[in-house]
């Protein structure tokens, strides 16, 4: 499944059947047992940091692998469990101590813990997240990298309207057709949000499958603006322009490691925060695209090569 499609899993409310299925297919690296085999789940080994990743969501798995490789390169004992299903499955495991470290996204995690949260900007969301996390869990430094919704246009459209932001495009929305998922048409930060924050009402709306289908429609001119996630490889590959969102219609989604406070030693914090300092949106998009290369490199190869390039291993 495509990266952008799986990104939608972060917003989905997972039903009981899906949750049970995710538990049944849960697998762990290094021969470790299923950490969610019971309601409480066995605690991770005291001398090991168990790094998680969301099953089916390749970017989450890649970030988990990067954290794991960075830690082990510096002599920290760690293991991975990168097939943990959705947040409804893995976050309880993180709270219970079955896993110790999880790559997360600030905005969706805050909304998961507090559906009434109204913070949208990067500093506000991060501050609220730190206050909302359950006892025993802490957030390390957030990266500038964000995997979030964005209004994206072609270079030609951006040049035609001299548009660098959604605000620049707003006076011309009535001339344009927008492409996005059926959900984006009604989501509070979708079309209603663009109308509320930018007085942007598009001429038409074309419902599209997230990912490749949306990118192709934009490239072919079937739509003139579209909702595409900021780390989608098509942005760089097709030369699309991500319009700035000065009104913060889309809440911040900065990458952040959530870790068991008992495992967050000074050395562990230093290692992971050094990784975070090197992760920006373009870098993360580039790493995502590498996984789709014809050679089909595995997570470990991509993670190790990037860490070595950045002097983090």
């Amino acid at each position: 499944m495509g990266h952008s499609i799986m990104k939608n899993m972060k917003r989905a409310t997972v039903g009981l059947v899906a949750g049970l299925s995710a538990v049944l297919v849960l697998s762990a690296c290094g021969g470790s047992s299923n950490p969610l085999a019971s309601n409480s789940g066995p605690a991770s080994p005291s001398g090991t940091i168990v790094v998680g990743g969301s099953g089916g969501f390749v970017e989450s798995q890649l970030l988990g692998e990067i954290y794991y490789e960075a830690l082990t390169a510096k002599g920290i004992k760690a293991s991975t469990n990168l097939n943990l299903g959705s947040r409804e499955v893995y976050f309880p495991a993180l709270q219970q101590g079955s896993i110790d470290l999880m790559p997360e996204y600030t905005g969706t995690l805050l909304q998961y813990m507090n559906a009434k949260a109204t913070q949208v900007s990067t500093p506000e969301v991060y501050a609220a997240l730190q206050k909302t996390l359950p006892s025993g869990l802490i957030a390390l430094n957030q990266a500038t990298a964000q995997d979030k919704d964005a209004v994206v246009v072609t270079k030609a459209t951006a040049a035609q309207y001299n548009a660098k932001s959604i605000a620049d495009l707003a006076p011309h929305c009535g001339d344009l057709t927008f492409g996005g998922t059926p959900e984006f048409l009604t989501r509070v930060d979708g079309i209603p949000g663009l109308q509320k924050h930018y007085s942007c009402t598009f001429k038409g709306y074309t419902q599209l499958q997230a990912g490749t289908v949306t990118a192709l429609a934009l490239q072919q001119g079937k739509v003139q603006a579209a909702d595409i996630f900021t780390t989608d490889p098509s942005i760089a590959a097709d030369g699309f322009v991500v319009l700035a969102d000065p009104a913060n219609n889309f809440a911040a989604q900065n990458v952040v490691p959530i870790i068991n406070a008992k495992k967050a030693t000074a050395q562990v914090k230093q290692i992971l925060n050094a990784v975070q300092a090197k992760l920006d949106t373009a870098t993360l998009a580039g790493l995502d695209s590498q996984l789709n290369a014809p050679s089909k490199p595995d997570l470990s190869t991509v993670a190790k090569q990037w860490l070595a390039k950045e002097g983090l291993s």
Side-chain angles (χ1 to χ4, degrees):
M1 299 179 73
H3 159 68
S4 292
I5 296 173
M6 298 313 303
K7 179 66 164 57
N8 287 330
M9 292 174 60
K10 292 194 290 182
R11 296 189 178 86
T13 299
V14 179
L16 177 61
V17 174
L20 290 173
S21 299
V23 172
L24 290 172
V25 302
L26 191 66
S27 64
C29 298
S32 58
S33 61
N34 184 340
L36 297 179
S38 65
N39 289 333
S40 60
S44 63
S46 60
T48 301
I49 294 178
V50 180
V51 186
S54 181
F57 179 29
V58 178
E59 184 178 281
S60 174
Q61 295 174 2
L62 175 59
L63 287 166
E65 184 69 25
I66 287 173
Y67 294 159
Y68 164 76
E69 298 289 355
L71 290 169
T72 56
K74 300 297 184 181
I76 302 296
K77 189 175 181 181
S79 64
T80 59
N81 191 333
L82 304 179
N83 193 26
L84 288 168
S86 68
R87 183 176 288 107
E88 287 78 4
V89 174
Y90 69 69
F91 198 76
L94 188 60
Q95 290 179 268
Q96 295 157 2
S98 302
I99 57 172
D100 301 304
L101 173 63
M102 190 76 195
E104 264 291 2
Y105 300 85
T106 55
T108 51
L109 180 57
L110 178 61
Q111 283 289 323
Y112 171 79
M113 294 186 297
N114 178 13
K116 296 182 179 180
T118 58
Q119 294 83 358
V120 290
S121 71
T122 289
E124 290 174 338
V125 170
Y126 183 60
L129 178 65
Q130 290 176 299
K131 295 177 181 178
T132 309
L133 281 170
S135 176
L137 297 179
I138 60 174
L140 300 185
N141 290 356
Q142 61 180 341
T144 60
Q146 295 196 57
D147 189 351
K148 62 184 291 188
D149 294 271
V151 174
V152 176
V153 298
T154 62
K155 283 185 178 179
T157 297
Q160 179 180 355
Y161 299 114
N162 192 26
K164 296 181 180 179
S165 72
I166 304 173
D168 296 332
L169 191 70
H172 312 285
C173 288
D175 300 323
L176 309 175
T177 297
F178 192 91
T181 62
E183 295 79 12
F184 192 85
L185 184 58
T186 56
R187 259 178 32 208
V188 66
D189 62 347
I191 292 300
L194 296 177
Q195 292 172 335
K196 175 182 177 180
H197 292 109
Y198 294 104
S199 298
C200 170
T201 301
F202 289 100
K203 176 177 65 176
Y205 188 92
T206 300
Q207 296 187 18
L208 299 166
Q209 186 179 25
T212 304
V213 173
T214 298
L216 187 61
L218 184 61
Q219 184 185 53
Q220 295 177 342
K222 294 179 180 179
V223 297
Q224 292 74 53
D227 172 41
I228 297 178
F229 290 110
T230 51
T231 60
D232 193 301
S234 68
I235 293 173
D238 297 320
F240 294 151
V241 176
V242 176
L243 297 180
D245 178 22
N248 290 310
N249 177 66
F250 303 113
Q253 300 293 351
N254 297 77
V255 172
V256 62
I258 305 299
I259 188 169
N260 181 335
K262 294 179 180 179
K263 301 290 182 77
T265 66
Q267 184 185 13
V268 167
K269 290 180 180 179
Q270 182 180 29
I271 293 168
L272 295 175
N273 285 338
V275 171
Q276 292 295 101
K278 296 290 187 177
L279 278 174
D280 58 26
T281 302
T283 295
L284 186 53
L287 291 170
D288 285 342
S289 67
Q290 286 183 39
L291 294 173
N292 295 321
S295 60
K296 297 297 180 184
D298 59 24
L299 295 171
S300 178
T301 298
V302 173
K304 286 180 177 179
Q305 288 179 346
W306 180 72
L307 290 167
K309 176 185 174 184
E310 297 295 338
L312 295 170
S313 60

